[in-house]
Amino acid sequence: AQKITQTQPGMFVQEKEAVTLDCTYDTSDQSYGLFWYKQPSSGEMIFLIYQGSYDEQNATEGRYSLNFQKARKSANLVISASQLGDSAMYFCAMRLNTGFQKLVFGTGTRLLVSP
Amino acid sequence: GAVVSQHPSRVICKSGTSVKIECRSLDFQATTMFWYRQFPKQSLMLMATSNEGSKATYEQGVEKDKFLINHASLTLSTLTVTSAHPEDSSFYICSARRTKNTEAFFGQGTRLTVV
């Protein structure tokens, strides 16, 4: 079984500051992928960043970086230089690379960026 | 990224009627589509995995006779909520991928309200 845990229901950050959203996961599989999605109030799921379990370097995509600590089973999302448009729900998800390769989501963190 | 279109974006129906939601991959052929349900302020919960040309695989606790999934072609999957009740009111969202080990792209979601 796979499980994703996001312990921060809500986070506040000031514009232009960096923020870290926590994500821990649990699986006994060795091959898996970790994803972060942003969900604005419109409901669409916007892909932000991906980290494979065998990737040795932390993934980065523009202002997003993923702090992958495999031994601790954590995959925290770091958003640098926050913008007002970053206010949204953020979901961490895991995909096992076996079977149907389903995505399992965490409970999400609501980020609010203030001016 | 690839485009997945979901229709309708919003639907209101009367209790006891059926509603069909379409999920189309516009610029790629999707061998697998996933259907999720999201209640307000909650995470995405996988309902079923749909492979083209075969019966959908439902997650535990999801009634297959109530949530009919058809994946008749490589670009279209449909979810029919039969005999809808107010408790079925939710946000339904699909995702589609070309093959295993490729990224899944999300539709815009459908907000269903049963009155």
Side-chain angles (χ1 to χ4, degrees):
Chain A
Q2 58 199 103
K3 187 179 177 183
I4 293 281
T5 302
Q6 294 180 256
T7 57
Q8 307 155 314
M11 288 286 285
F12 294 89
V13 67
Q14 273 203 313
E15 207 177 359
K16 299 179 186 176
E17 292 187 350
V19 63
T20 298
L21 305 184
D22 294 343
C23 173
T24 58
Y25 60 93
D26 188 25
T27 181
S28 55
D29 279 40
Q30 297 302 308
S31 181
Y32 51 87
L34 297 157
F35 299 76
W36 276 93
Y37 288 88
K38 172 183 177 182
Q39 187 180 42
S41 56
S42 58
E44 61 189 303
M45 295 293 284
I46 301 170
F47 166 75
L48 297 178
I49 197 165
Y50 166 80
Q51 179 88 39
S53 59
Y54 293 117
D55 295 341
E56 294 187 352
Q57 297 215 338
N58 287 343
T60 59
E61 289 284 351
R63 295 187 297 112
Y64 305 107
S65 60
L66 199 151
N67 185 358
F68 182 44
Q69 297 190 36
K70 194 170 182 177
R72 295 179 60 185
K73 293 189 175 178
S74 75
N76 299 340
L77 176 70
V78 180
I79 305 175
S80 63
S82 297
Q83 301 172 355
L84 296 178
D86 293 335
S87 294
M89 280 292 289
Y90 288 80
F91 290 98
C92 180
M94 176 168 65
R95 181 191 72 192
L96 296 183
N97 291 335
T98 54
F100 285 128
Q101 297 187 338
K102 302 180 288 189
L103 267 179
V104 173
F105 287 85
T107 50
T109 297
R110 181 167 296 282
L111 177 66
L112 184 61
V113 182
S114 59
Chain B
V3 179
V4 175
S5 176
Q6 198 171 330
H7 178 80
S9 56
R10 289 179 181 272
V11 59
I12 301 173
C13 71
K14 288 186 177 179
S15 189
T17 61
S18 295
V19 174
K20 180 185 282 188
I21 302 169
E22 292 187 348
C23 179
R24 291 182 185 272
S25 55
L26 297 185
D27 53 359
F28 69 100
Q29 294 187 322
T31 57
T32 305
M33 290 187 175
F34 301 92
W35 286 96
Y36 296 85
R37 179 168 54 185
Q38 185 180 29
F39 290 110
K41 300 188 189 303
Q42 293 190 24
S43 186
L44 278 74
M45 299 302 296
L46 181 65
M47 299 175 68
T49 301
S50 166
N51 288 301
E52 187 265 339
S54 60
K55 289 184 179 180
T57 301
Y58 290 81
E59 295 298 300
Q60 197 170 7
V62 178
E63 301 173 60
K64 61 179 70 175
D65 294 331
K66 180 167 186 62
F67 299 100
L68 300 178
I69 291 172
N70 184 283
H71 191 167
S73 79
L74 283 170
T75 58
L76 174 65
S77 176
T78 60
L79 167 67
T80 301
V81 183
T82 62
S83 187
H85 292 288
E87 56 266 31
D88 298 325
S89 298
S90 186
F91 188 67
Y92 293 86
I93 192 165
C94 70
S95 70
R97 67 165 187 230
R98 290 181 180 84
T99 59
K100 279 192 172 183
N101 300 312
T102 61
E103 182 183 345
F105 299 93
F106 283 85
Q108 308 95 315
T110 297
R111 198 164 299 281
L112 169 64
T113 303
V114 184
V115 298

